[in-house]
Amino acid sequence: MGNLLPRPARGLPDLLRMLESEWPFGERHSMRIEAFTEEGSFVVRCELPGVDPDDIHINVEGDQLRVEAERRQEERAESHSEFYYGSYSRTMLLPSGCDVESIKADYDNGIVTIHMPRRETPEAKEIPVARKGK
């Protein structure tokens, strides 16, 4: 039977995992995302397994989209865990042409999917320059 106690660090992969979790710089962890365009919308998917959807907050401020979440730890006596608990956050620039009023998000199987429809962009229009004084 395998040992459930943590093993000593085994090099670069463990170091990278520690840096990814922002340790020792703070309590927030980074979340993994993917972004792509699909059927006229910008889509961002965030990996948040084990997070209650009520603990996920998505905000738009200016040209930034911010996703914050928290996974709460259940108290257990004499336990070992390698799960990340605490706050997760990610801020990203909104793509140009994004219709902020129509952003929608859903949560399924530990993945938050944010759909950001594109606004209809008007055709280019040249603005005439008037001469002053004539």
Side-chain angles (χ1 to χ4, degrees):
M1 181 171 182
N3 188 349
L4 291 179
L5 295 176
R7 292 183 216 144
R10 290 184 308 237
L12 188 58
D14 291 323
L15 176 62
L16 293 174
R17 193 170 45 228
M18 282 192 319
L19 292 174
E20 181 181 82
S21 70
E22 297 184 19
W23 176 89
F25 309 109
E27 292 298 316
R28 292 192 178 274
H29 302 293
S30 178
M31 69 184 72
R32 296 173 190 253
I33 67 162
E34 65 179 3
F36 53 93
T37 304
E38 179 179 76
E39 298 176 8
S41 290
F42 302 106
V43 179
V44 173
R45 291 172 25 111
C46 307
E47 229 179 38
L48 289 169
V51 175
D52 186 321
D54 292 337
D55 292 329
I56 300 170
H57 304 283
I58 302 169
N59 299 299
V60 173
E61 186 173 327
D63 63 350
Q64 295 187 347
L65 176 75
R66 181 167 184 81
V67 180
E68 297 178 301
E70 183 175 357
R71 184 179 329 166
R72 301 175 196 280
Q73 183 172 5
E74 297 175 21
E75 295 298 322
R76 294 185 175 93
E78 298 182 29
S79 68
H80 167 76
S81 176
E82 295 179 7
F83 286 11
Y84 290 123
Y85 291 100
S87 298
Y88 294 78
S89 68
R90 190 73 182 255
T91 301
M92 58 206 92
L93 288 175
L94 287 169
S96 62
C98 178
D99 183 1
V100 175
E101 300 301 319
S102 300
I103 294 175
K104 297 198 182 325
D106 58 68
Y107 181 87
D108 185 38
N109 291 326
I111 306 289
V112 175
T113 304
I114 305 166
H115 295 272
M116 299 174 277
R118 290 181 174 172
R119 281 191 304 253
E120 291 295 322
T121 53
E123 291 184 29
K125 176 182 173 185
E126 186 171 344
I127 309 299
V129 178
R131 293 182 181 258
K132 260 191 149 174
K134 284 196 176 186

